Amino acid sequence: MLDVSRREIKYEVGLCLAAVLRQRLAAVLAEDPHNGGSGYLVRSVYFDTPDALDYYQKLDGLDNRKKLRLRIYGFGDAPAKLELKQKQGAFQRKRSLSLSRRQAEQLLAGNQSCLNDFGEFGQALARRMALGAYRPGCLVEYDRIAFFSPTNDTRVTLDCRLRASESCFRLYDPAVPLTPVGSPAAVTLEVKYNRFLLSFVKDAVSVEGMLNVSASKYCRGRQFGIGGE
């Protein structure tokens, strides 16, 4: 099990500013080896209760809230990450398990028993999902460019071309029909770090007039079904 806790700050910027930020970040941080020229794909299925409890807790801005997602970074038989992300005051705690494709598809079909093989945390997740009747609520996909530094577990990402489906949750199917969400010119900048933000990273992402936003890709992805943000 992977267990990390760090701060997260989000901004929304345009394509031109995103290009400038990419150049700045490449000068001071290491690039994710999967970046390539246009970034790499991130696809997630978010689980929620029948009454969308986690969705509404996010909309209400509760200090302590959670979201549960199954994430892949490629198709074929790539493993999936089952992640429980919890906001605890100023920090985001993320605990994750690595599932095989078979286990991920079992979970999507409503069978949580595969989680019992992952010790106490997996068993706790299985109970949480069963008691809350958690089921897939939204599939979200976007393209990401990432930079990192091991110091203070620093990671900065630029996410664009958000698209989603609220009716098809075939995580491994590249042909799932998806609907573009939001402006095609919008890019989400996420700055994640532990302890304190390195001064040279702060300088790289500091642009006058750029405002911090609470941009939930899950909530945006559900805007056509239950109203979005």
Side-chain angles (χ1 to χ4, degrees):
M1 180 188 73
L2 179 66
D3 189 343
V4 297
S5 181
R6 57 190 177 186
R7 294 176 179 267
E8 291 188 6
I9 306 173
K10 297 181 182 181
Y11 305 91
E12 190 165 292
V13 302
L15 288 173
C16 292
L17 180 53
V20 172
L21 290 170
R22 181 175 183 179
Q23 290 183 327
R24 290 185 180 184
L25 291 165
V28 297
L29 293 172
E31 285 208 37
D32 189 296
H34 300 97
N35 275 354
S38 57
Y40 58 91
L41 178 140
V42 181
R43 176 182 278 192
S44 303
V45 169
Y46 289 84
F47 295 85
D48 211 334
T49 63
D51 58 353
L53 176 64
D54 295 350
Y55 169 86
Y56 285 111
Q57 285 186 344
K58 166 61 179 176
L59 286 192
D60 291 341
L62 299 186
D63 284 339
N64 295 291
R65 58 181 185 264
K66 65 187 180 305
K67 55 187 172 185
L68 184 63
R69 69 190 179 204
L70 193 59
R71 171 168 288 187
I72 59 172
Y73 298 94
F75 298 111
D77 289 324
K81 287 185 177 181
L82 178 63
E83 300 177 333
L84 176 64
K85 197 168 181 180
Q86 296 171 289
K87 189 175 189 304
Q88 301 171 327
F91 286 86
Q92 296 272 3
R93 184 185 186 189
K94 182 172 70 175
R95 287 174 286 174
S96 60
L97 301 173
S98 181
L99 275 60
S100 67
R101 174 172 178 170
R102 179 173 176 273
Q103 290 169 324
E105 291 179 337
Q106 285 179 331
L107 195 61
L108 289 167
N111 180 4
Q112 296 100 20
S113 62
C114 63
L115 300 181
N116 292 325
D117 297 330
F118 290 91
E120 290 185 8
F121 178 61
Q123 293 163 15
L125 276 183
R127 289 193 298 272
R128 178 191 292 268
M129 295 184 74
L131 290 173
Y134 275 77
R135 54 179 174 74
C138 184
L139 185 150
V140 171
E141 181 180 291
Y142 51 90
D143 301 316
R144 165 168 285 181
I145 294 172
F147 303 87
F148 70 93
S149 170
T151 305
N152 291 353
D153 193 20
T154 302
R155 189 168 178 84
V156 183
T157 57
L158 293 161
D159 300 334
C160 65
R161 296 185 60 239
L162 181 66
R163 54 262 187 201
S165 172
E166 295 177 82
S167 60
C168 187
F169 311 115
R170 297 193 301 270
L171 183 66
Y172 284 90
D173 182 359
V176 168
L178 300 171
T179 302
V181 177
S183 168
V187 179
T188 300
L189 168 68
E190 297 187 6
V191 183
K192 309 170 188 179
Y193 61 95
N194 200 356
R195 297 178 60 207
F196 59 88
L197 182 60
L198 300 167
S199 60
F200 57 85
V201 177
K202 184 177 181 179
D203 290 341
V205 300
S206 292
V207 176
E208 185 176 354
M210 191 168 67
L211 299 177
N212 175 227
V213 296
S214 178
S216 166
K217 296 183 181 73
Y218 170 50
C219 290
R220 289 181 176 183
R222 296 204 73 173
Q223 66 179 327
F224 301 108
I226 55 176
E229 291 186 296

